[in-house]
Amino acid sequence: INNTDKLTQYIAEARSMGIELLQPDVNRSEGYFTVSEGKIVYGLVGVKGIGEGVVQDLIAERAKAGPFADFLDFLQRFGTRSMNKRTVEILVQAGCFDSLGHKRSELALNLERAFDYAQKKAEAGAYGQASLFDGSSEEEFPPFRYEPAEEWPRSEMLRVEKQLLGFYFSGHPLDEFRELYDRSCDVDFAHPERANPEKMHTLIGQLVEFREILTRKGKKMAFGKVEGYSGSMDIVLFSDTLERNPGRFVVDAIVFLRGKVDTGRESPSFKVEEFVSPSDLRAKSYRDVHIVLNPVRREDDLEGLRDILYASSGQCGVVLHVKGSQGQVAVRAHAQISCAPKEEVVERIRDTPVVADVWLD
């Protein structure tokens, strides 16, 4: 549970098998990984900064008096006597109270007041002070009211989750590029030793480490680490690559790299040879442009589409989808008819009256 590299690899493997991993939760989690209704539940011991003794006490309280009804119930029954505010704050940031009805930002904003409220209420109950107000119209402890707050930005939630859990639950920084990652990234993060060392590979991921050094000859080189969905990989950059790409390697940024995998060492690394743009990768990853045609009454209806295709020939083949007697039929155009996989070209095709739909594949 505390081995981040293995954890990332195993979670990716579980998800590829259709097994869901549930985030840590004060009402659902045990100390370590458990299984509930065919899903893996993340253990509270895996939250950095939460001691195993505290976790066992929490589980014991839950077993004795049942699940926590809400955040205040947690503080009153357990939090103020067994945890300091910082420990509760860590559980908030890790999403352990998400199922109890308040946003993480809201709990963080109100934590100080809620903690003091629960503490005073517990102390009053312990000394029997509440009985002094029996029959009074004034309640000593009116219901606690939360100040509302907008939820933290997604990027901040992901950063904190990674820091506290070693993994992302609310999403992944790569999600914006998921389709491109699946199409173009041909390095298996979980098994880099299987890569062909002679082949140029494409590596896509988040740059989580990067440092430059000076060699004995006074030239710069750099080392870093790129993280994908199923693990991480060390990267190496020599001086010529660094000089061609100044300022492009920024920690936490998503990087798109071409190079070769050095499998000659115990831990394979990726030798970066060029930095590529996502638009270039998208263009290279598409094979065909698919065009769904509206009913065509005469050949002239196709002139506008024909002119666009002739003017924007490129690497993609053209597949026309036309309605036949048995339903829609896909017809591949002649090899001399091609199309460049550019967004502006696709939009021009889409705007042609004879076209019902268009997409790249």
Side-chain angles (χ1 to χ4, degrees):
I1 197 166
N2 291 314
N3 185 329
T4 302
D5 289 341
K6 287 291 184 183
L7 179 65
T8 302
Q9 180 181 335
Y10 292 152
I11 290 173
E13 181 72 11
R15 286 179 169 175
S16 72
M17 297 167 67
I19 301 171
E20 187 178 350
L21 177 73
L22 302 178
Q23 69 189 56
D25 185 283
V26 292
N27 276 337
R28 187 169 49 204
S29 295
E30 301 294 326
Y32 291 86
F33 290 110
T34 51
V35 175
S36 174
E37 300 178 348
K39 300 172 184 178
I40 298 172
V41 183
Y42 197 97
L44 291 170
V45 170
V47 183
K48 292 179 176 61
I50 307 298
E52 191 165 355
V54 169
V55 171
Q56 294 309 317
D57 289 346
L58 186 156
I59 294 168
E61 170 63 29
R62 200 172 63 199
K64 180 180 72 174
F68 301 107
D70 52 36
F71 185 58
L72 260 297
D73 184 45
F74 174 86
L75 292 178
Q76 289 166 198
R77 283 170 48 189
F78 180 74
T80 58
R81 62 179 171 81
S82 301
M83 294 181 174
N84 57 35
K85 292 175 189 175
R86 175 55 187 154
T87 305
V88 178
E89 183 181 29
I90 289 172
L91 291 176
V92 168
Q93 292 173 334
C96 299
F97 298 103
D98 283 4
S99 64
L100 299 183
H102 290 279
K103 298 189 285 286
R104 298 179 198 183
S105 59
E106 199 168 71
L107 293 182
L109 175 65
N110 291 276
L111 175 58
E112 188 86 22
R113 290 174 49 246
F115 200 93
D116 292 344
Y117 175 94
Q119 202 164 35
K120 289 175 182 175
K121 192 169 182 180
E123 290 170 357
Y127 291 102
Q129 293 174 16
S131 63
L132 297 175
F133 293 87
D134 286 349
S136 170
S137 60
E138 182 182 355
E139 292 185 33
E140 183 185 10
F141 293 101
F144 183 83
R145 298 190 183 280
Y146 291 89
E147 285 185 47
E150 291 293 320
E151 188 56 286
W152 292 323
R154 181 173 174 274
S155 58
E156 176 64 11
M157 290 179 68
L158 292 178
R159 185 191 67 78
V160 174
E161 285 178 359
K162 181 68 173 176
Q163 177 185 331
L164 295 178
L165 304 173
F167 196 76
Y168 299 109
F169 279 93
S170 301
H172 195 285
L174 275 169
D175 287 346
E176 180 185 351
F177 303 99
R178 183 64 198 246
E179 184 180 356
L180 186 59
Y181 179 94
D182 291 339
R183 284 177 175 274
S184 302
C185 184
D186 57 4
V187 176
D188 185 346
F189 282 92
H191 300 285
E193 72 281 356
R194 297 176 183 174
N196 181 350
E198 303 301 320
K199 177 188 171 184
M200 283 288 287
H201 288 275
T202 300
L203 183 72
I204 300 174
Q206 184 182 30
L207 186 67
V208 293
E209 294 177 15
F210 191 76
R211 61 187 177 91
E212 294 183 3
I213 65 167
L214 279 177
T215 66
R216 291 179 181 177
K217 295 182 178 179
K219 290 191 173 183
K220 281 186 178 182
M221 67 179 299
F223 300 91
K225 182 177 285 188
V226 170
E227 192 171 274
Y229 282 103
S230 58
S232 59
M233 189 164 193
D234 292 330
I235 63 170
V236 180
L237 295 90
F238 292 99
S239 57
D240 56 339
T241 307
L242 278 174
E243 289 170 5
R244 291 197 309 271
N245 299 282
R248 282 188 156 182
F249 292 88
V250 179
V251 172
D252 291 335
I254 305 300
V255 292
F256 306 84
L257 310 172
R258 294 277 291 162
K260 293 184 177 180
V261 179
D262 181 359
T263 58
R265 301 182 181 185
E266 183 178 350
S267 179
S269 61
F270 188 87
K271 180 188 172 185
V272 180
E273 298 196 13
E274 61 177 315
F275 193 105
V276 292
S277 70
S279 58
D280 287 344
L281 280 179
R282 285 192 183 96
K284 290 176 182 177
S285 67
Y286 292 122
R287 295 184 298 272
D288 294 312
V289 57
H290 292 258
I291 303 172
V292 181
L293 296 177
N294 290 317
V296 178
R297 294 185 177 84
R298 49 202 178 98
E299 190 174 343
D300 290 351
D301 293 344
L302 294 168
E303 283 187 357
L305 175 61
R306 181 197 63 192
D307 292 344
I308 294 171
L309 292 175
Y310 281 148
S312 59
S313 59
Q315 69 191 53
C316 286
V318 175
V319 179
L320 300 171
H321 297 258
V322 296
K323 190 172 183 180
S325 58
Q326 303 296 319
Q328 201 173 84
V329 179
V331 181
R332 181 169 291 278
H334 191 279
Q336 290 183 350
I337 300 176
S338 62
C339 182
K342 297 179 179 178
E343 291 183 12
E344 59 268 26
V345 175
V346 172
E347 288 308 309
R348 287 180 61 202
I349 293 173
R350 193 186 309 278
D351 291 340
T352 305
V354 76
V355 174
D357 196 8
V358 57
W359 70 88
L360 292 163
D361 182 27

